[in-house]
Amino acid sequence: MPTTTTAVPRGLAGVVVTDTALGDVRGLEGFYHYRQYSAVELAQTRGFEDVWHLMFHGELPDATARADFRARTAALRHLPREVSDALPGIAAAGAASEPLAGLRTALSLLGAAQGFRPLYDLDAGRRREDALAACAAVPTLLTALYRLGQGLDPVEPRDDLSYAANYLYMMTGSEPEPERVRAIESYLISTVDHGFNASTFTARVVASTGADMAASLVAAVGALSGPLHGGAPSRALDTLDAIGSPDRIDGWVRERVLAGDRIMGFGHPVYRTEDPRSRMLRGIAEGFGGPLVAFAVEVEREVEAILAELKPGRELHTNVEFYAGVVMELCGVPREMFTPTFCAARVVGWSANILEQAEDSKIIRPAARYVGPPPPQPVPAL
């Protein structure tokens, strides 16, 4: 093996690959932050645009900066004609898949229509403009693809609504109630960024090549689409459906744990205590109340007890996906839009990471250990 390589854990677990000023996750404490602020506190006290501004500009806006930023990003929600005209065909081609699949194509088209150029060739201001345009357009793309897939016309964005309210409005066609807007906004803020997760790392790898903003974001969307990453909120809610009633919890869970199956919505690769996002979203769900919430709380309690019994020594608690699914269900978000809603938040975190990565001209290029048959061997004759 060349002396320039170093063996590291599978999946790069725990390996520090760069410095970042965007935030961090402290898994042993059950705490994570954006810049210098608690992410959960931001989700409880600030609007989505404030956190977007923080991630892009390094500071929370004052009242004037907030108004300017909201107006600027709202104006970018409207799609170029070349993109909007292509969406029915994209939706039809992906009729059997969720809007996230169509987003990969639509984002590429958006980048071409907007004239996105390689990050390597742009100054910091132009990169930020491309990032703003992409982030503002993603909710419009996602909701249009969803509605077209349902046989409905897309709903044009409204500049007078907040990011979260406009997203729900474009999805449903009706202006949402304030309590639903605030619940979804808190969820969106809580999922803007979360350390060097798979999709964020993917975005930074592509950005390190100097590729354009759209290419970097498309790569991140592809990583998010995997069920082990962003595809879990609807699967966690499917678990509640499969259990069905409180008397089935014990038997259903034990059977799957003993079979080696994962219980979707439980466990996290970083947290060794309760996921702070889950704690916050549980509180939001309990604010709504009702049978679904009561059942979810009971399932959480019993599953954690069973996991503690069958997997002693491991701290396995609900993760963000468990109560995210409950909250989105209560707010009228269809299940096929759970992961796209996650994407509508995380695109801001991806973009902030892409902008940060673009400041470093070093390409990310790790090594792999070869474990195949020893070379060179004779090529067999025909």
Side-chain angles (χ1 to χ4, degrees), residues 90-110:
I90 294 173
S97 36
E98 295 182 355
L100 216 57
L103 180 64
R104 298 196 297 264
T105 303
L107 262 177
S108 290
L109 181 58
L110 177 75

Side-chain angles (χ1 to χ4, degrees), residues 157-355:
R158 279 175 48 181
D159 295 356
D160 62 313
L161 296 177
S162 70
Y163 186 92
N166 181 64
Y167 178 66
L168 290 173
Y169 168 71
M170 290 190 297
M171 186 189 308
T172 65
S174 301
E175 188 169 341
E177 298 97 338
E179 59 270 23
R180 290 188 174 187
V181 172
R182 187 56 200 153
I184 292 299
E185 184 167 51
S186 295
Y187 167 68
L188 292 172
I189 293 171
S190 74
T191 52
V192 160
D193 193 49
H194 201 251
F196 260 43
N197 55 82
S199 56
T200 296
F201 183 55
T202 301
R204 291 189 71 130
V205 169
V206 177
S208 79
T209 72
D212 67 43
M213 180 63 63
S216 303
L217 290 174
V218 168
V221 172
L224 185 73
S225 67
L228 297 184
H229 190 10
S234 60
R235 292 170 183 251
L237 204 57
D238 290 343
T239 295
L240 295 180
D241 290 343
I243 294 172
S245 60
D247 59 294
R248 284 174 40 84
I249 299 173
D250 189 276
W252 191 93
V253 173
R254 286 181 186 276
E255 178 181 346
R256 277 146 188 83
V257 173
L258 292 173
D261 297 339
R262 291 188 63 196
I263 307 298
M264 286 296 186
F266 289 81
H268 193 276
V270 176
Y271 289 116
R272 294 298 172 263
T273 183
E274 186 178 22
D275 186 333
R277 301 168 298 178
S278 178
R279 186 188 311 120
M280 184 197 73
L281 290 168
R282 184 198 306 121
I284 292 174
E286 289 175 331
F288 283 98
L292 174 62
V293 177
F295 183 47
V297 171
E298 186 167 358
V299 168
E300 177 190 20
R301 182 176 60 250
E302 292 201 35
V303 170
E304 288 190 350
I306 294 168
L307 289 172
E309 174 193 337
L310 299 180
K311 295 179 178 291
R314 297 183 61 186
E315 289 287 340
L316 296 171
H317 303 278
T318 52
N319 55 42
V320 64
E321 285 86 7
F322 186 79
Y323 281 106
V326 174
V327 168
M328 283 190 275
E329 182 94 340
L330 294 169
C331 290
V333 178
R335 293 191 189 187
E336 56 266 47
M337 287 297 286
F338 282 9
T339 302
T341 302
F342 187 1
C343 178
R346 187 56 61 86
V347 68
V348 169
W350 290 333
S351 296
N353 273 275
I354 291 166
L355 293 174

